[in-house]
Amino acid sequence: MDKWRNIFNPSSVFVPLGAIVLGLISGAVIMLLGGYNPVDAYQALFEKVFGSPYDIGETIRTITPLLFTGLAVGFTYRAGLFNIGADGQYIMGMTGAAIVGIKLQLPWFIHAPLAVLVGALFGGLWAALVGYLKASRGVNEVISSIMLNWIALYLSNYLLRALLLEPGQQRSYFIHESASVSIGWLSRALENARMDWGIFIGLIGAVVFYFLLWRTKQGYELRAVGLNPDAARYAGINIKSSIVKSMFIGGVFAGLGGVFEVLGVFHYQVLSAASSGYGFDGIAVALLGGNHPVGIVFASILFGTLTYGSAGMNFSADVPTEIVRIVIGAVIFFVASHGIIQGIVKPFLASRRKLDRKGAA
């Protein structure tokens, strides 16, 4: 119970909320300066997200990859690593799932789980390479993971051209139906929104994140390495092994994000000139969520809602979609600037405590 009080204490709750409010206000000011009506814009965003069952379903679809990449970044951060390579791990997860989904023909109860597993392993092993370079050679994970993002993009395009590309198309063949993880009945209930098992697996992933780090010996060691590597080494913890393990697990989360995009949403993979950016958005999600699985779930909902709702701002209120990115950037800025938020929140909390004491007296 005390752990949940720590998660939802006034500071941990009010700082992100304050950052969100200030971010929305900043976006409104920028809209006013640009000659747009912020009330109409935010109303259009709200209506786009909740206007129909289809829009609700598509909002959930947008949230799913952000949840996975947020978990990927947050998990490794808890172990003292900055996983900026979630983009590449996400791409490798897509590629692994596409290869199995297209090249193999198996019964559905084997094919779909196998495709999910292989895609997750592709993402995990790609991230483990970053961990290995840091553990064995001291290569900074930020540098190596950025470089591996681009290597993943071009390697994925090469594999698509060599193994999976449909002639005359800029995409792979469609995966076999037996490899699909779409949920037909749920899609029909939400007016054919592209629904799959990804959001449910993502929520389970958040539970696994918490259980691994706070309920297992391995998780304790990973957090110890993240908090103080020298003390952890003195206590007999294998630092190198912990680095590789944490990167691998983070890569599995990011890889799963790509897996469900291929197996559940599009059912094919396209040749890409640039990454989708989900891995970098995952950094913002993890930051806003305080690198805690509960916070990451809520942060992914916020970012997914803003991302999908931006289309409504553009079409209904004629506001450029870039404004939403400004709002998200402002939220990140205010989350990173704890002092600004705390300077606003602390006097409010202090006055509340005084009133509570007077009432108790």
Side-chain angles (χ1 to χ4, degrees), residues 227-243:
L227 290 170
N228 193 324
D230 294 329
R233 185 181 292 107
Y234 182 77
I237 296 172
N238 189 326
I239 304 295
K240 294 182 178 180
S241 174
S242 295
I243 290 172

Side-chain angles (χ1 to χ4, degrees), residues 265-339:
V265 178
F266 299 107
H267 300 139
Y268 59 82
Q269 186 177 358
V270 298
L271 289 171
S272 302
S275 70
S276 62
Y278 282 124
F280 295 105
D281 287 343
I283 297 172
V285 169
L287 179 62
L288 180 60
N291 297 300
H292 192 283
V294 176
I296 289 170
V297 168
F298 286 112
S300 65
I301 292 171
L302 171 69
F303 278 51
T305 298
L306 290 173
T307 300
Y308 184 74
S310 64
M313 292 174 63
N314 183 243
F315 290 115
S316 299
D318 200 30
V319 176
T321 54
E322 288 78 9
I323 294 290
V324 174
R325 308 308 299 182
I326 292 173
V327 172
I328 291 174
V331 170
I332 297 168
F333 169 78
F334 286 117
V335 170
S337 307
H338 290 289

Side-chain angles (χ1 to χ4, degrees), residues 45-68:
L45 185 149
F46 185 85
E47 289 175 353
K48 176 63 178 174
V49 172
F50 300 104
S52 68
Y54 174 83
D55 287 323
I56 293 172
E58 286 296 305
T59 301
I60 293 171
R61 183 199 68 79
T62 306
I63 290 167
T64 302
L66 295 171
L67 173 57
F68 279 114

Side-chain angles (χ1 to χ4, degrees), residues 3-4 6-7 71 74-75 77-79 206-223 227 289-296:
K3 288 184 180 292
W4 291 106
N6 289 334
I7 294 170
L71 292 172
F75 190 92
Y77 187 87
R78 287 285 179 176
V207 175
V208 171
F209 181 126
Y210 176 82
F211 183 82
L212 276 175
L213 282 183
W214 282 278
R215 286 290 184 269
T216 66
K217 177 177 176 290
Q218 290 292 327
Y220 174 81
E221 291 181 354
L222 294 179
R223 287 188 293 119
L227 290 170
N291 297 300
H292 192 283
V294 176
I296 289 170

Side-chain angles (χ1 to χ4, degrees), residues 168-207:
Q169 302 290 331
Q170 291 296 301
R171 60 165 175 79
S172 70
Y173 289 96
F174 282 92
I175 63 168
H176 294 292
E177 186 64 29
S178 56
S180 172
V181 294
S182 298
I183 308 176
W185 62 267
L186 186 56
S187 293
R188 289 188 292 274
L190 295 174
E191 299 178 352
N192 294 320
R194 293 168 292 179
M195 299 304 297
D196 58 72
W197 289 103
I199 189 64
F200 303 104
I201 301 300
L203 294 174
I204 292 172
V207 175

